[in-house]
Amino acid sequence: MLFETVKKYAPPDFIFKIAQTHEDLEGFWALRRQVFCKEQEIFHESDHDEYDDKMIPIVCKSLLAGMEDLVVGVVRIDEREPGIWYGSRLAVHKDYRKLLSISSGVSIRNCQPNYRGLGALGAGLIYKAVSTANRIGCKRFFATVQHQNEKFFRRFHWRTIDNVDFRGIRHAYMEADLNYYQPAEFIF
């Protein structure tokens, strides 16, 4: 039929990197606003907090013909005590959450395991976050994870320490096994 619905194109190639350019940072903030303020309504107009002032922003960008395109995933990391790092505000654009396949070059380019199936971009962001902190002196790495994502994190060598309530939503306070996350090769 001439007017059939066309499935939205999602490129299979991505790069995970520390956000540095104006475009990277603009995409980082826009995706956080979209997910945490508009979709989940956890925050109203902004999810900015005191940790944003000293964080390292990490983005996942789609690649088209080898060139960086859109920010489709984000996470931030920050050191709250010497050697004690936290990851937070992990988000993947809704069009990329159910991505089933990514190119084989993604793991090579990003110096990380080759994640396949649902959650591949989230897994890549987790790996990039922890391995980046591990590279710059992390002794322990924590995250407060929404309850529905707790099992997902466990698949990637995280353990639950406690259950906590954050803004009226059940979360798991979790710690990463740093032995699984090799110190990152920096990609800027």
Side-chain angles (χ1 to χ4, degrees), residues 154-171:
R154 283 187 185 155
R155 286 182 19 213
F156 301 106
H157 305 268
W158 287 69
R159 69 180 179 96
T160 302
I161 297 171
D162 199 1
N163 290 303
V164 296
D165 188 62
F166 177 74
R167 299 186 69 90
I169 300 169
R170 185 173 170 212
H171 284 69

Side-chain angles (χ1 to χ4, degrees), residues 49-65:
D49 64 19
E50 69 272 16
Y51 302 115
D52 285 317
D53 296 334
K54 58 180 180 174
M55 60 112 178
I56 297 173
I58 295 172
V59 295
C60 170
K61 294 184 80 173
S62 59
L63 297 177
L64 290 174

Side-chain angles (χ1 to χ4, degrees), residues 16-165:
F16 298 86
K17 64 180 206 157
I18 295 171
Q20 289 190 310
T21 68
H22 174 73
E23 292 79 18
D24 290 348
L25 293 169
E26 194 173 83
F28 175 85
W29 292 110
L31 185 55
R32 278 182 44 178
R33 255 188 321 279
Q34 178 62 39
V35 171
F36 298 113
C37 299
K38 295 179 181 174
E39 286 179 32
Q40 297 182 358
E41 298 180 339
I42 297 172
F43 303 94
H44 292 289
E45 293 182 26
S46 173
D47 69 333
H48 189 276
D49 64 19
E50 69 272 16
Y51 302 115
D52 285 317
D53 296 334
K54 58 180 180 174
M55 60 112 178
I56 297 173
I58 295 172
V59 295
C60 170
K61 294 184 80 173
S62 59
L63 297 177
L64 290 174
M67 298 184 67
E68 293 180 18
D69 190 34
L70 303 172
V71 171
V72 297
V74 299
V75 66
R76 70 178 181 185
I77 61 173
D78 64 275
E79 186 178 33
R80 298 186 188 171
E81 296 176 34
I84 309 299
W85 285 78
Y86 284 79
S88 55
R89 301 294 201 271
L90 184 136
V92 175
H93 189 283
K94 64 183 176 181
D95 292 341
Y96 293 83
R97 291 178 195 150
K98 295 187 178 188
L99 197 64
L100 291 175
S101 66
I102 56 179
S103 77
S104 57
V106 173
S107 63
I108 295 166
R109 177 181 314 101
N110 295 290
C111 304
Q112 63 187 39
N114 190 7
Y115 298 110
R116 294 279 181 205
L118 293 178
L121 298 187
L125 285 162
I126 293 167
Y127 193 89
K128 182 64 177 174
V130 181
S131 64
T132 297
N134 206 2
R135 173 69 177 228
I136 49 182
C138 180
K139 302 296 181 219
R140 296 182 80 185
F141 193 97
F142 299 97
T144 303
V145 177
Q146 290 182 15
H147 175 67
Q148 69 269 20
N149 298 320
E150 182 178 2
K151 188 183 279 188
F152 178 74
F153 273 70
R154 283 187 185 155
R155 286 182 19 213
F156 301 106
H157 305 268
W158 287 69
R159 69 180 179 96
T160 302
I161 297 171
D162 199 1
N163 290 303
V164 296
D165 188 62

